[in-house]
Amino acid sequence: MPGTKDKALEIVDLKKRYPTGVEALRGVSITIEPGDFYGLLGPNGAGKSTLIHCTTGLAQPTGGSIKVFGHDAINDYGKARAAVGLAPQEVNLDQFLTCEETLDFHGGYFGMQKQDRKERTKELLEIFSLTSKARERTRALSGGMKRRLILARALMHRPRLLILDEPTAGVDIELRLELWHYVQKINAEGVTILLTTHYLEEADQLCGRIAFIANGEIAAQGTSEDLARRYDVVNLEDAYLALVGRRELSRSLVDDTLIA
Ligand code: ADP
């Protein structure tokens, strides 16, 4: 039974073999404590999306277990799913809905009552500086506004775990910093966060703990400093380069005289 000592996310020996025979996850175990800001880093094809899809019910694991705040993501899917907010990598808004409708429909999907949906929508539009756009269709929003609306939508049903799948992929530096500001605030307010990103400085800045995943296995986990120590290097970027077998690319080896 779920209780107060529950982990935010507890994944044990998770395995996923796709019908094609690809073993995307080969026994992954990670534990995320309530309130953590946790990073999941790894090269393309490592299994990050598969892990997120298994956690949010978009893919069926072939082994192991997943619990979200004590709710079994496989056998008690509804409760586990309600505890998770997902901000996907791609901008997947319905362009014919207004901002208000986008949030309201999402709340309805999660069984929120009408009055609650109305109040929560107002609150989130305010938090994400979208109040003046409430009745605009999403197609009329700027890129930054769309990203903010996706975050607001993920939070609409008050999930305790927010999964951010490469939230800043391909966005400009102002928007990246703006999104960092929002997600840090959300985390400070008590929401546990799981972030995947290819930007190591982003993980370094935001995440208290980080797991490296490669070939469907967790290679190492800990703080940024723990990971550097584990690979006998000085920072997270060099630890990551060691993970992917490219130590020779370390910035510490770049010859300054060639750049000058
Ligand atoms: P990442 O998100 O880290 O890039 P993925 O979880 O997308 O990694 O992919 C892990 C492995 O699983 C890759 O080899 C990928 O080709 C494979 N894979 C992902 N989705 C599917 C699918 N629907 N069917 C078959 N293979 C898949």
Side-chain angles (χ1 to χ4, degrees):
M1 283 298 284
T4 49
K5 292 230 179 64
D6 290 321
K7 308 294 182 195
L9 183 63
E10 195 168 23
I11 294 182
V12 180
D13 201 21
L14 186 64
K15 295 188 176 124
K16 173 66 184 177
R17 168 196 273 262
Y18 285 106
T20 52
V22 172
E23 292 214 48
L25 299 172
R26 304 161 188 262
V28 166
S29 297
I30 58 171
T31 300
I32 305 183
E33 299 288 342
D36 272 2
F37 202 129
Y38 196 96
L40 185 64
L41 306 184
N44 286 332
K48 301 179 297 296
S49 303
T50 301
L51 184 146
I52 291 174
H53 290 162
C54 287
T55 304
T56 51
L58 297 171
Q60 191 72 19
T62 39
S65 67
I66 307 171
K67 279 187 181 164
V68 186
F69 284 101
H71 301 292
D72 189 308
I74 299 150
N75 301 319
D76 194 4
Y77 170 74
K79 286 208 172 110
R81 182 64 188 89
V84 181
L86 174 64
Q89 192 179 330
E90 70 282 9
V91 173
N92 65 348
L93 295 165
D94 182 330
Q95 56 172 341
F96 297 106
L97 296 183
T98 65
C99 291
E100 223 168 42
E101 287 165 347
T102 301
L103 300 184
D104 187 68
F105 288 8
H106 182 89
Y109 178 78
F110 281 93
M112 293 170 71
Q113 297 302 308
K114 193 167 182 218
Q115 188 57 26
D116 188 22
R117 296 203 306 265
K118 203 171 158 200
E119 286 165 16
R120 182 71 172 152
T121 295
K122 189 166 180 289
E123 179 188 22
L124 285 168
L125 291 175
E126 198 69 34
I127 292 171
F128 289 96
S129 309
L130 289 167
T131 304
S132 65
K133 302 287 172 188
R135 306 243 154 98
E136 295 255 7
R137 286 186 202 278
T138 67
R139 68 173 169 204
L141 301 178
S142 70
M145 290 170 191
K146 284 181 183 160
R147 293 273 176 177
R148 297 206 299 266
L149 184 61
I150 285 173
L151 267 184
R153 185 184 60 185
L155 293 168
M156 178 70 187
H157 61 290
R158 302 186 183 88
R160 297 165 74 193
L161 172 66
L162 176 65
I163 300 181
L164 302 168
D165 191 5
E166 296 193 35
T168 62
V171 310
D172 64 26
I173 183 70
E174 307 91 281
L175 179 53
R176 175 165 309 144
L177 293 173
E178 185 185 304
L179 292 169
W180 287 10
H181 163 86
Y182 280 113
V183 296
Q184 274 180 313
K185 192 156 169 283
I186 294 163
N187 180 239
E189 284 164 5
V191 177
T192 307
I193 297 184
L194 170 60
L195 167 80
T196 78
T197 180
H198 282 289
Y199 299 101
L200 295 166
E201 100 271 21
E202 178 163 295
D204 222 356
Q205 175 92 25
L206 298 174
C207 301
R209 291 179 64 229
I210 294 166
F212 277 172
I213 182 169
N215 298 319
E217 287 174 323
I218 300 293
Q221 52 184 318
T223 62
S224 183
E225 293 76 23
D226 291 337
L227 293 170
R229 223 173 296 125
R230 156 84 171 67
Y231 291 93
D232 200 18
V233 292
V234 294
N235 57 36
L236 182 66
E237 183 171 275
D238 283 0
Y240 183 84
L241 289 172
L243 170 80
V244 297
R246 300 301 304 273
R247 282 178 189 261
E248 78 279 8
L249 295 177
S250 171
R251 292 185 208 218
S252 66
L253 301 175
V254 175
D255 187 344
D256 290 343
T257 56
L258 291 177
I259 297 168

